[in-house]
Amino acid sequence: MVELLFEDIFTLIRLDPDGKKFDKVSRIEARSEQFDMYMQLDVNTEIYPLSVGDKFTMVLAPTLSLDGTPDTGYFMQGGRKSLADKFEYVMHGKLYKISEEGSGINVKVEIYASFGGLLMMLKGDPSNAANFELDQRLFLLMRKV
């Protein structure tokens, strides 16, 4: 079984907070239910349209292989089942920055990843960042709830 790095249900709270910059991409702001994480994420809304109030499951995983086999970096056609079969929108990228802000009990961790130029920032309790490493390759998977 694949070990997920992060999984939660998010509610979209704002769409393009700084104005629309690109025709086919929107920056979304969302908050998670279980871990109270805040996320900004660039999404290709031409192929995966989203609206304020939408709820979706978001997963970060190191591989799409259902048995947890590490990702080789190559896509193998062959009809094998994968984690992507359970989701509607999938991106592959790299974690490029982990930082902390605040101090004491108010400390928050920020995790930054790039998916071919589409950016993600995930912010919240540091305990949710224990499985992440700098320069880690990961998959972001989304499915509307």
Side-chain angles (χ1 to χ4, degrees):
M1 183 76 183
V2 63
E3 184 177 328
L4 303 177
L5 300 170
F6 181 82
E7 179 178 18
D8 207 344
I9 295 173
F10 284 81
T11 303
L12 198 152
I13 52 177
R14 287 176 59 189
L15 199 58
D16 293 314
D18 299 326
K20 187 88 170 141
K21 307 258 192 249
F22 301 100
D23 291 340
K24 300 175 183 180
V25 175
S26 286
R27 177 158 291 172
I28 66 168
E29 289 185 2
R31 181 146 315 266
S32 75
E33 293 179 357
Q34 184 178 358
F35 298 115
D36 193 33
M37 298 289 280
Y38 167 79
M39 178 174 66
Q40 284 188 346
L41 177 68
D42 295 340
V43 176
N44 183 331
T45 48
E46 182 182 52
I47 59 174
Y48 196 65
L50 292 165
S51 304
V52 172
D54 283 354
K55 286 186 177 238
F56 57 90
T57 298
M58 191 277 289
V59 168
L60 294 172
T63 180
L64 292 179
S65 177
L66 291 174
D67 63 4
T69 305
D71 180 51
T72 63
Y74 297 99
F75 176 70
M76 298 298 208
Q77 292 181 344
R80 289 192 359 222
K81 295 277 185 200
S82 78
L83 187 60
D85 296 332
K86 300 176 182 178
F87 292 86
E88 301 164 338
Y89 185 74
V90 180
M91 294 192 292
H92 180 253
K94 190 172 190 176
L95 194 150
Y96 68 89
K97 182 179 176 184
I98 301 173
S99 65
E100 288 188 356
E101 71 172 29
S103 62
I105 143 170
N106 295 323
V107 71
K108 299 283 185 200
V109 68
E110 292 181 351
I111 299 162
Y112 295 88
S114 176
F115 303 93
L118 299 180
L119 304 177
M120 177 199 74
M121 188 271 292
L122 190 62
K123 180 178 179 178
D125 190 281
S127 64
N128 296 318
N131 295 329
F132 293 103
E133 298 172 13
L134 204 54
D135 291 333
Q136 182 176 30
R137 297 195 178 282
L138 46 87
F139 292 90
L140 181 142
L141 303 100
M142 291 171 58
R143 168 183 67 236
K144 290 182 185 170
V145 178

